[in-house]
Amino acid sequence: MNKIQKFFVSFLAFGLIAGGLASCGRTSSASGVLRVGNDAGFGGAETMDPYDGNRTWPTINMVFDRLIGVDKDFSPIPELALSWSSNDDLTEWTLELREGVKFHDGSEFDADDVVYSIERMIDPEFDSPILAVLGVISSVTAVSKYEVLLSLSTGEADFPLLLADYRALMTPVDSQSTIGKNPIGTGPFKMETFDPAGTTVLLANEDYFFGQPKLERIEVITFADSQSAAQALAGDQVDLLLAIDGKSSAMFGDEAKFTLQNIPSGDWNAIDFRVDQEPFGDARVRKALRIAADRQVIADTVLGVGGGVVACDTPVWSADPYRWDGDCAKDTEGAKALLAEAGYPNGIDIDIYTSDVEVHMVELVTAYKDQVKDAGIRVTIKMADASGFWDDVWMKESAFVDSWGQRPATQVLNEVYRSTASWNPTGQVDKDLDKMLDEARSTKDQAERAKKYAQIQERLFENSAIFLPYHKTLTRAMSSKVKGVEPIVIDAVRWEKISVS
Amino acid sequence: MRRVVFSLATFIALAVVSFVGVDALPGDGCTALLGRFGTNAKIDACRRENNLNDSVVVRLKDWSGDLVRGDLGYSIKRDEQVSEIIIPRLRNTAVMAAVAALIAFPSAIVVGLLLGRYPRKRISKAVNQFSVIAMTLPEFVIATVLWLVLSIWIPIFPGVSVMPSNASLLQLLPNVWLPALTLAVVIFAHSMRTMRASVTNVQNMPFVESARLRGTNERKMISRHIVPAALPPVVNVVALDGAWLLTGTFVTEAAFNFQGLGRLAIDAISDRDTALILPIILFGLAVYLVSSILADSLVRVFDPRLRSNNR
C-alpha cells in the first residue's frame, strides 16, 4: 500500500469512527410517544391563544376542546356541550354543558368560561379571525352553572357547525394574558414545553372526559419546509405528517412501513376577477372565463391525478351536506359566442397575477392559460413577489390567484361571497345573492335549506367572478406504527384515540 | 492598521446602505406579524406602538445608537430580543462550520499536495474527477445523496435535525454531521483544486529545481520548499470558503432543517422581519471583512517578500 492509499484508508476510518460516535446520539422512538411534524406557519410568531391570528395548529386542538365537534360526515356532535336547541326563528340557542369537566390546573369548567371565551372571540377590539365565523353572535349569557344562552343577530340554522370551528375552543376565565405561552385547557393533552420553532412537548391528560389518552406524550416538531419533513418521516424521526405534498407520496410507497391516507378536504384555489375592472364587469365575459376550461384537466395537472375533486365554482366541498354538483364541462364554442356577444369577437387579453406564496398557485394559472387559449382568451401570467402577495396583489389587481381553507357552507358563502364581506375578493355586489343567503340560513327545515343552498351555488356558477376549479385532496402520511388515525378530515380526528405500537 | 480603519469605514457605510435598503422593501415588522388578515387599523396601531412611523433618518439614528450600546433590537413578530434569537443559532452554525472546516481544509491541503506531486497515479486522476463532480453539483443534490446513503441505506446519522435552536451541545452534535459533510464536500473540492494547481505551479519554479540539484530529499523538499510556497493562494481561498461556511449555508440548513443562521435568514426575509434581517446582514459583512484581513496577514507570514517591502 503506498502513501496515498494509506491516507485514503485512514480518512475512511476517521469517517466511520465519527459516524459511530454520531449514531450514539440518534433518537429512538419510544412507544407511547407520537412525533408529529408541523410546518413553520407563522415563522416564530405562533401562539397557543386559539383566537389569535397566529394560533398554532394542530397543537391548539390537543390542548383545548370545542363546545361542539363534528363527526366524519360533518354533522355536529357533543364535545363540551352535551346538547343544544334553538327558538323557532333560529336566533337564540341554548346549550347544556357537560358537568364535572376539569381544566388542566384542576379548576372546574362551567358557563362562566364559555361566556369569557365567546366574548373574547367576538370582541371587535381584539378582532379575532374567528369573528368572521362567529360574528353572528350578539350576546352570550350564563343561565345557570351548566347552561348558556347565545343570541344571534340573524337566524342561523347551521350555528352548531359554526361552533365546531377548530378555533372555537374553550379557555378558562381571565386567561388572555397567559394563554399564548402557558395554555390551560380541558383537552386530551397538557402543555409541557411550548417551542413553536423547535419541539413542543405535550403530556397526556389522564382525567380527560372522553377517557384517558392512549399516548403518553406528543411531540410537535417544526420543519422549515415540506421536503425536510418528508425526509424526517422516511428516516423514522417523526411518525405523522398531517399533509404532505402529493409529489412526495412516492417516498412512502412501502406499505409495511408507512400508511398513506387520501382525504378530500374543503381547501380550494381559485382565480378571482375584479368586477370593477374591465372586462370582468360583464357577466357574459365571466361565464366565458369559466366555461372555457376543463376543470378535471386543471385539477389533474396542478394537484396530480386523484389529487383533487372538481368543483363548478362552488366553495362548498364534496363532503358538505349542502354541496351542489352541476355540469361545468368545457365549452369552447359557448365561451367564444359569449365573448362575441359581449363585444369581444376577437377574444380578450388578460393579465393574471400569481406568486409562489403557496404551492399550486403558479401551476393553476399556467394550466388555466393553456386551457382557455382555444376560446380566444389570451392570458399573460404576472409573477408577484411572494412576501408582498397578500398585501399588494390580493384583492387589488384585476385578476389574481386565491387560496382558502375548509369552511362549512354557510360560513364560506357569507365570508367570501356576500357583497358586504370584508374579504369579498372580487368586489362583486349581488343584492339578490345576499337575500338568498339570508333566507337559506334562516330556514329551519333541513331539506328546504339544502334546496336553497343548491340554488345559491347554481347562481354562483352563472354569475360570480371567482373561477373555482377544485377542492384539494390532502395526503396524510404516517408510520405504520401509528394506530387510530381515521382516514377522515382532521377536525374529526380524536387525538386521545391515537396510539403508537 | 490602515487596512483595519478602511474595513471599519466600509462596514459602517454598508450598514447604513443595508438599513435604508431593507427599509425600502415593502412591508415591515407589523405587516409581518399581522399577515394576510391584518386590517389597516390594527397595522397602524402596531406601527405607532413600535415607533415605525418615524422617518428613516430618526429610526436609523435610534437603531445605530442601540447597536453601539450592544442592543441588537427587538423582533415584533417573534416577540423576542434579536440577540436571544440570533445567538443560539449563530452557535449552531459556528459548530457546523467548524466541523466542516476541520474535515475539509486539512484533507484538502494534503490531498491537493499529493495530487500535485503525483499527478500521474490512477487514484489521483480519480480523485480529481470526483472533485470536479463535487464542485458542479448543487448543494441540495449533495445533501440529498448524503441523506439517502448515510441516513436511509446505512442509518448512521439522523436524517434531518429535530432539535430546538438552543439545544445542548450534546444534542446538537449528532445533527451537525450531515450538513457539515455537505458543506465539506463543496469546500473540499474547491480548496483542494487550488492547492493542487498551486503545487503544480511551484514545482516548476527555478528554486525547486535548484533545491533538487542540491540533493534535498523528498520529505524536506515538500515541507521546506513546496508547501510554504504553495500555501499563499490557498490561504485566500480557505479564508473565503471559511467566511462562506458562516454566511452561505442557507440551502444546506434548509435541506436538513438545521436551526442555524442560514435558515433563520430565510425565515426572516420571507417574513419581512427587518429587525432580524439587519443583524444577520451585518454579521455576514463583518465575517467577510475580518476573514480577508486575516487572510492577508497570514499570507505575509508565509511569504517573506510581502513582509520585507512593508506595505
Side-chain angles (χ1 to χ4, degrees):
Chain A
M1 207 157 53
N2 67 27
K3 270 183 193 167
I4 304 165
Q5 282 165 337
K6 248 185 211 158
F7 171 78
F8 281 108
V9 168
S10 52
F11 188 68
L12 205 70
F14 167 75
L16 285 177
I17 293 165
L21 283 173
S23 58
C24 297
R26 201 177 160 84
T27 46
S28 64
S29 57
S31 91
V33 179
L34 177 73
R35 297 162 303 172
V36 184
N38 195 16
D39 61 352
F42 302 108
E46 285 82 357
T47 162
M48 281 298 290
D49 184 343
Y51 321 133
D52 191 292
N54 292 330
R55 82 285 170 289
T56 176
W57 176 87
T59 318
I60 50 169
N61 295 94
M62 301 167 183
V63 174
F64 303 103
D65 291 301
R66 296 165 285 194
L67 289 167
I68 296 173
V70 282
D71 68 5
K72 61 182 195 306
D73 308 321
F74 242 75
S75 42
I77 53 168
E79 221 165 271
L80 282 169
L82 283 174
S83 64
W84 46 90
S85 56
S86 78
N87 62 354
D88 270 348
D89 61 3
L90 303 159
T91 53
E92 288 194 343
W93 290 77
T94 306
L95 276 67
E96 305 293 334
L97 304 181
R98 198 179 285 272
E99 295 183 23
V101 174
K102 294 263 197 302
F103 281 107
H104 297 156
D105 63 355
S107 61
E108 202 184 336
F109 164 80
D110 62 26
D112 289 342
D113 302 303
V114 178
V115 171
Y116 175 78
S117 300
I118 289 183
E119 282 182 345
R120 275 200 68 210
M121 293 182 216
I122 60 172
D123 177 5
E125 187 82 13
F126 184 68
D127 196 19
S128 165
I130 202 172
L131 191 57
V133 188
L134 296 177
V136 290
I137 302 176
S138 51
S139 74
V140 50
T141 38
V143 178
S144 70
K145 196 174 179 197
Y146 296 111
E147 190 178 312
V148 286
L149 175 70
L150 294 152
S151 305
L152 311 186
S153 56
T154 170
E156 175 55 79
D158 288 312
F159 183 62
L161 275 180
L162 298 184
L163 280 180
D165 186 280
Y166 69 102
R167 297 158 298 186
L169 299 163
M170 290 297 121
T171 54
V173 169
D174 288 338
S175 57
Q176 174 155 9
S177 57
T178 54
I179 197 162
K181 285 177 176 150
N182 296 298
I184 302 290
T186 57
F189 290 88
K190 306 178 193 182
M191 184 60 72
E192 176 74 5
T193 40
F194 179 54
D195 179 4
T199 301
T200 292
V201 179
L202 302 116
L203 300 178
N205 170 16
E206 291 174 2
D207 303 323
Y208 190 50
F209 59 83
F210 275 143
Q212 188 183 340
K214 293 185 173 167
L215 292 165
E216 263 168 52
R217 57 196 247 144
I218 295 181
E219 294 174 6
V220 181
I221 302 167
T222 301
F223 291 93
D225 65 291
S226 60
Q227 182 60 33
S228 60
Q231 281 177 223
L233 179 59
D236 192 27
Q237 293 183 290
V238 295
D239 306 306
L240 171 63
L241 298 178
L242 292 174
I244 61 167
D245 186 352
K247 289 156 197 140
S248 303
S249 57
M251 282 170 76
F252 309 108
D254 184 349
E255 281 178 27
K257 284 170 78 179
F258 302 107
T259 309
L260 286 175
Q261 295 176 344
N262 290 321
I263 299 137
S265 83
D267 298 352
W268 48 275
N269 286 122
I271 300 174
D272 303 343
F273 303 96
R274 291 289 304 184
V275 296
D276 48 12
Q277 310 238 5
E278 285 315 313
F280 310 125
D282 191 317
R284 291 165 296 192
V285 174
R286 296 200 294 269
K287 181 89 192 263
L289 286 166
R290 72 172 97 257
I291 62 175
D294 186 324
R295 290 151 198 266
Q296 189 65 56
V297 173
I298 290 181
D300 290 350
T301 312
V302 176
L303 306 168
V305 174
V309 178
V310 160
C312 296
D313 297 317
T314 172
V316 181
W317 64 295
S318 56
D320 191 295
Y322 301 115
R323 160 85 169 196
W324 168 79
D325 278 304
D327 172 23
C328 49
K330 177 169 175 161
D331 179 5
T332 304
E333 291 313 312
K336 274 184 184 165
L338 279 167
L339 285 177
E341 202 181 307
Y344 302 99
N346 301 320
I348 51 173
D349 294 279
I350 58 172
D351 294 342
I352 301 180
Y353 280 75
T354 188
S355 168
D356 49 14
V357 64
E358 279 177 24
V359 284
H360 310 316
M361 280 189 157
V362 178
E363 289 104 317
L364 171 60
V365 184
T366 315
Y368 181 76
K369 174 184 176 161
D370 187 51
Q371 279 294 314
V372 298
K373 65 175 192 289
D374 296 341
I377 300 167
R378 295 171 294 273
V379 175
T380 305
I381 300 175
K382 299 273 188 182
M383 282 296 292
D385 183 48
S387 51
F389 182 79
W390 298 118
D391 293 332
D392 308 331
V393 176
W394 185 63
M395 291 184 66
K396 297 201 172 64
E397 293 297 344
S398 58
F400 45 88
V401 287
D402 205 347
S403 162
W404 288 83
Q406 177 174 306
R407 286 155 167 75
T410 174
Q411 183 190 341
V412 72
L413 290 166
N414 283 295
E415 198 176 348
V416 185
Y417 291 83
R418 183 178 280 275
S419 307
T420 52
S422 338
W423 309 119
N424 168 0
T426 64
Q428 187 172 22
V429 175
D430 183 346
K431 293 286 174 211
D432 292 339
L433 179 76
D434 296 351
K435 217 170 125 225
M436 290 166 83
L437 286 169
D438 288 335
E439 280 171 14
R441 60 157 48 159
S442 55
T443 301
K444 199 165 186 180
D445 181 71
Q446 160 94 29
E448 195 62 27
R449 193 162 70 241
K451 212 188 283 171
K452 287 184 172 162
Y453 274 121
Q455 284 162 1
I456 288 171
Q457 294 166 69
E458 215 167 330
R459 182 177 180 85
L460 292 184
F461 179 61
E462 288 305 320
N463 189 41
S464 99
I466 298 179
F467 172 75
L468 194 165
Y470 57 71
H471 287 93
K472 298 177 193 175
T473 296
L474 300 181
T475 305
R476 193 183 288 160
M478 66 195 93
S479 155
S480 51
K481 291 179 295 188
V482 178
K483 307 283 180 228
V485 180
E486 300 285 317
I488 50 179
V489 285
I490 194 67
D491 310 63
V493 166
R494 304 291 334 172
W495 290 97
E496 73 276 8
K497 291 192 175 158
I498 300 174
S499 63
V500 174
S501 60
Chain B
M1 192 58 211
R2 243 176 59 199
R3 180 74 203 272
V4 173
V5 173
F6 183 71
S7 294
L8 210 63
T10 314
F11 181 80
I12 292 171
L14 286 175
V16 172
V17 170
S18 311
F19 185 91
V20 176
V22 170
D23 193 77
L25 291 172
D28 56 33
C30 287
T31 52
L33 173 70
L34 296 167
R36 177 176 177 182
F37 296 106
T39 55
N40 286 337
K42 270 183 161 180
I43 291 174
D44 275 351
C46 170
R47 281 184 180 147
R48 265 198 305 281
E49 196 184 319
N50 293 285
N51 300 327
L52 291 182
N53 285 329
D54 297 343
S55 74
V56 174
V57 181
V58 173
R59 279 181 294 118
L60 176 62
K61 208 181 94 226
D62 291 350
W63 174 74
S64 48
D66 288 347
L67 203 62
V68 170
R69 281 192 299 276
D71 178 1
L72 289 181
Y74 166 78
S75 163
I76 300 169
K77 172 148 188 159
R78 291 168 190 248
D79 187 18
E80 221 177 336
Q81 289 299 320
V82 168
S83 53
E84 280 172 32
I85 303 170
I86 285 189
I87 288 169
R89 289 171 171 87
L90 177 58
R91 179 205 63 174
N92 299 345
T93 296
V95 171
M96 175 181 72
V99 172
L102 282 175
I103 296 172
F105 291 139
S107 55
I109 287 172
V110 175
V111 173
L113 174 68
L114 295 174
L115 257 54
R117 195 76 185 127
Y118 312 105
R120 275 179 238 290
K121 301 254 182 195
R122 198 174 294 160
I123 188 158
S124 299
K125 287 179 180 157
V127 171
N128 201 25
Q129 286 303 315
F130 163 80
S131 73
V132 172
I133 295 171
M135 260 172 75
T136 47
L137 282 179
E139 284 153 71
F140 65 86
V141 175
I142 301 172
T144 311
V145 171
L146 285 176
W147 168 73
L148 194 64
V149 175
L150 295 177
S151 177
I152 299 297
W153 292 349
I154 319 166
I156 303 174
F157 301 117
V160 292
S161 103
V162 291
M163 55 160 207
S165 59
N166 57 356
S168 68
L169 268 180
L170 209 65
Q171 248 185 311
L172 171 67
L173 272 180
N175 294 305
V176 154
W177 292 99
L178 279 184
L181 275 175
T182 306
L183 297 170
V185 168
V186 176
I187 56 171
F188 169 83
H190 199 206
S191 41
M192 188 277 281
R193 289 176 65 81
T194 312
M195 181 69 184
R196 190 188 62 117
S198 184
V199 168
T200 312
N201 191 24
V202 165
Q203 281 185 129
N204 298 326
M205 285 190 169
F207 77 91
V208 175
E209 187 74 1
S210 82
R212 184 177 298 128
L213 290 175
R214 285 201 305 275
T216 314
N217 70 21
E218 175 73 10
R219 176 176 297 210
K220 232 176 184 175
M221 188 77 159
I222 291 178
S223 63
R224 285 271 174 81
H225 299 285
I226 296 178
V227 170
L231 273 182
V234 181
V235 167
N236 276 314
V237 169
V238 166
L240 268 181
D241 279 348
W244 178 80
L245 277 181
L246 286 170
T247 58
T249 54
F250 310 95
V251 175
T252 305
E253 288 189 9
F256 291 108
N257 198 45
F258 188 81
Q259 295 267 8
L261 214 54
R263 199 190 123 182
L264 182 70
I266 298 177
D267 290 350
I269 291 167
S270 69
D271 292 351
R272 295 286 170 83
D273 196 339
T274 46
L276 208 46
I277 298 174
L278 275 169
I280 298 175
I281 295 179
L282 293 192
F283 172 73
L285 276 175
V287 165
Y288 271 99
L289 291 173
V290 169
S291 70
S292 76
I293 293 178
L294 255 168
D296 286 357
S297 332
L298 265 177
V299 167
R300 279 178 212 204
V301 173
F302 286 115
D303 194 338
R305 286 168 303 178
L306 292 175
R307 256 176 292 171
S308 55
N309 61 17
N310 198 22
R311 281 197 296 187

